[in-house]
Amino acid sequence: MNRRKSSLLLLWMLVCSGGVTEAIEPISTSIAVGMAAALTGFLASYQNIFYYFHECCRPEWIYLNKTGLQVDLEAKLFGQHIASRIILKAVTGFMSNDNPKKPLVLSLHGWTGTGKNFVSQLIADNIYKEGMDSSFVHIFTSELHFPHLSQIDTYKSQLQQWIKGNVSNCAHSMFIFDEMDKMHPGLIDSIKPYLEYYEKVDGVSYRKAIFIFLSNAGGESIIQTTLDFWKAGRDREELELKHLETELSVSVFNNKRSGLWHTSLIDKNLVDFFVPFLPLEYRHVTQCVMAEMEAKGLQPDQNVAVQLARDVLYFPKTERVFSVKGCKTIASKLDFYT
């Protein structure tokens, strides 16, 4: 049994690596040729089996489901018409390009509970067969991975090595940086060379990688613009990226708690899109409740959704227009209402 498992593992390594000789280096060439000859017939007949044996950096495991992403954004991401449009176009355009000039860099901004983490999951789910559980999706959280200012130089070196190692393993790697507003200023600049238009950096090409930054920074300017639209009696869907992008990028660049404060990533225009996530209204919270009930296997109940949505805190206090925490606490509150 152990010998059989070892054989299967070896064969998987051969298939995933793209060639027998590369997989078994530095075994001598004569042995490699002998093994290759012995296994050629088997691999030719049964190689498709091994594509499903273990996750590989191959099209069988990494491919964009454009229709799936579009449906998910329309049906599951509530109140974010601007973000949905940007993300769909940015991701589909990037993934359909066999020779991109640089990695895709998205910076998602907005108040808590508006869908930034959730949309990162939707992107991963529609690119990687294993979704967020893929070994090619990597999440960095500021307070967990980079907690001490005194070790900033060590973090910079580690971050560079982590990214270089993972992209070397799979060009189509995705890196998600959560809590950017809590990240030490200057840390993210350490990976600037990897986000540039260089063909290769130290022998490694980063052009097919995806970098996603998540931050609450800039949320105030997004809220103010959205509130101004509401006060002017204008429909929320009239808001466009042009109303928000310039002020958002300036706000993030000048905010010491943004993680992108005075960063050369903005200076050098390496962030492809600053994606604003709007504050959620009562109707969006109701949609979140209905979706959460369905996700938990419960029969969606409009009365429960209305009651829970009404009890959520809103601001400004008098008008009660926007949810203070978006949909962030819906899952935990739902148990109390059902």
Side-chain angles (χ1 to χ4, degrees):
M1 185 66 179
N2 290 337
R3 181 178 297 176
R4 183 182 179 188
K5 285 184 176 179
S6 298
S7 299
L8 288 172
L9 181 59
L10 174 60
L11 289 170
W12 165 74
M13 289 171 64
L14 301 180
V15 172
C16 284
S17 66
V20 174
T21 304
E22 291 182 9
I24 58 178
E25 286 289 340
I27 297 177
S28 69
T29 303
S30 59
I31 296 176
V33 172
M35 291 180 66
L39 294 172
T40 296
F42 182 83
L43 290 174
S45 301
Y46 299 101
Q47 64 178 346
N48 287 339
I49 296 174
F50 295 98
Y51 294 156
Y52 299 95
F53 180 68
H54 193 282
E55 186 182 27
C56 298
C57 185
R58 301 178 63 97
E60 291 82 7
W61 291 89
I62 304 174
Y63 57 90
L64 175 64
N65 181 354
K66 179 180 178 180
T67 301
L69 179 59
Q70 183 173 2
V71 170
D72 281 349
L73 290 171
E74 291 175 353
K76 299 178 181 180
L77 184 64
F78 307 122
Q80 304 299 348
H81 64 283
I82 298 176
S84 293
R85 284 200 296 263
I86 297 173
I87 289 167
L88 181 62
K89 289 184 178 180
V91 173
T92 55
F94 179 76
M95 291 297 294
S96 62
N97 187 351
D98 292 331
N99 188 30
K101 299 302 181 184
K102 66 180 291 295
L104 177 62
V105 183
L106 301 175
S107 193
L108 315 186
H109 298 267
W111 211 242
T112 183
T114 52
K116 301 184 299 296
N117 288 90
F118 182 60
V119 86
S120 302
Q121 176 186 323
L122 295 183
I123 294 172
D125 287 346
N126 286 286
I127 293 180
Y128 302 91
K129 191 174 180 180
E130 295 292 296
M132 292 294 283
D133 292 327
S134 171
S135 58
F136 309 123
V137 176
H138 312 280
I139 303 176
F140 299 99
T141 303
S142 298
E143 293 189 327
L144 176 63
H145 295 101
F146 318 111
H148 306 297
L149 180 59
S150 59
Q151 297 182 30
I152 188 69
D153 290 334
T154 300
Y155 296 150
K156 287 181 179 181
S157 177
Q158 288 177 340
L159 186 56
Q160 290 172 339
Q161 292 304 313
W162 287 335
I163 293 176
K164 181 179 180 180
N166 282 297
V167 174
S168 298
N169 182 46
C170 183
H172 283 291
S173 292
M174 178 186 289
F175 302 93
I176 301 171
F177 291 82
D178 197 7
E179 299 181 347
M180 282 290 293
D181 46 299
K182 298 177 183 177
M183 184 174 287
H184 304 303
L187 176 58
I188 207 66
D189 265 349
S190 66
I191 65 169
K192 174 182 171 290
Y194 306 152
L195 309 185
E196 284 272 14
Y197 290 83
Y198 302 131
E199 185 174 347
K200 289 185 177 181
V201 178
D202 293 333
V204 179
S205 175
Y206 297 86
R207 290 181 168 186
K208 293 183 178 180
I210 297 177
F211 293 81
I212 302 178
F213 304 136
L214 313 180
S215 178
N216 290 348
E220 293 83 358
S221 66
I222 296 171
I223 288 173
Q224 188 59 55
T225 301
T226 311
L227 186 60
D228 290 342
F229 258 66
W230 180 83
K231 288 180 177 178
R234 301 179 66 178
D235 192 276
R236 178 190 184 93
E237 277 65 35
E238 291 182 48
L239 268 169
E240 298 179 23
L241 180 61
K242 65 182 181 182
H243 297 125
L244 296 154
E245 188 174 35
T246 301
E247 186 174 349
L248 176 58
S249 62
V250 171
S251 173
V252 170
F253 184 78
N254 291 319
N255 188 340
K256 289 186 177 181
R257 293 183 57 83
S258 73
L260 293 171
W261 178 65
H262 286 192
T263 176
S264 56
L265 270 62
I266 297 178
D267 243 0
K268 300 295 184 181
N269 297 310
L270 298 180
V271 177
D272 296 298
F273 291 97
F274 288 93
V275 186
F277 279 69
L278 309 179
L280 301 183
E281 300 175 8
Y282 166 82
R283 58 189 167 118
H284 305 127
V285 177
T286 302
Q287 289 176 302
C288 288
V289 179
M290 296 289 281
E292 186 61 31
M293 293 178 76
E294 189 172 350
K296 287 189 173 184
L298 303 173
Q299 182 66 34
D301 188 327
Q302 185 68 30
N303 292 328
V304 171
V306 168
Q307 184 181 359
L308 198 163
R310 283 177 177 171
D311 290 346
V312 169
L313 294 176
Y314 294 88
F315 70 96
K317 285 187 178 181
T318 52
E319 295 92 344
R320 301 186 79 245
V321 182
F322 304 124
S323 170
V324 171
K325 296 183 179 180
C327 288
K328 196 174 185 67
T329 60
I330 295 301
S332 58
K333 287 179 177 291
L334 186 58
D335 293 333
F336 177 78
Y337 288 85
T338 55

